Amino acid sequence: MIEVQPITIEGIGFTAITVKLPKTNFMAVTGEDGYIMCGALDVALLNEKLKDRGILAGRAVGVRTIDQLLAAPLESVTLAAEEKGVKKGTIGKDAMLLLHGITPDE
């Protein structure tokens, strides 16, 4: 089953996508400029083979729901995301705001 739902973080709209697969879920939260995903995201591939695309993305591992993805510290981020201020350990919801040029409320 595939679920697509709008979500709001600090008044900004994003899209949450969950694909329920056997024994696991694939999850992503995306906006116009970048996204965060579950452990299925291959950050090394984005940084090495697709570096010229400047993909803004981050990866959280061990998450099973969209809420967990938004609350989890990112395990890895792309080089382009680092340029936007997203670092390893940034919480998912804060990363989404940073990827879209918005400084999260402290």
Side-chain angles (χ1 to χ4, degrees):
M1 175 177 12
I2 299 172
E3 296 176 3
V4 179
Q5 62 184 4
I7 62 169
T8 303
I9 303 170
E10 292 188 23
I12 307 300
F14 298 98
T15 302
I17 303 161
T18 302
V19 179
K20 296 190 178 197
L21 302 168
K23 300 183 183 180
T24 192
N25 289 332
F26 168 88
M27 293 164 295
V29 175
T30 187
E32 291 183 23
D33 296 323
Y35 57 92
I36 58 173
M37 281 180 48
C38 62
L41 181 64
D42 188 344
V43 173
L45 173 84
L46 299 179
N47 281 338
E48 296 164 14
K49 303 272 185 192
L50 304 177
K51 183 179 180 179
D52 61 320
R53 296 184 187 182
I55 296 171
L56 301 173
R59 167 186 158 161
V61 295
V63 296
R64 295 177 180 226
T65 67
I66 293 294
D67 287 339
Q68 289 177 354
L69 177 59
L70 291 170
L74 297 180
E75 177 267 342
S76 55
V77 300
T78 62
L79 297 170
E82 286 180 352
E83 292 175 5
K84 290 280 203 167
V86 180
K87 300 176 179 139
K88 181 179 175 179
T90 301
I91 300 302
K93 70 177 185 67
D94 292 342
M96 287 306 301
L97 294 171
L98 288 165
L99 290 176
H100 293 81
I102 301 160
T103 302
D105 290 341
E106 297 292 327

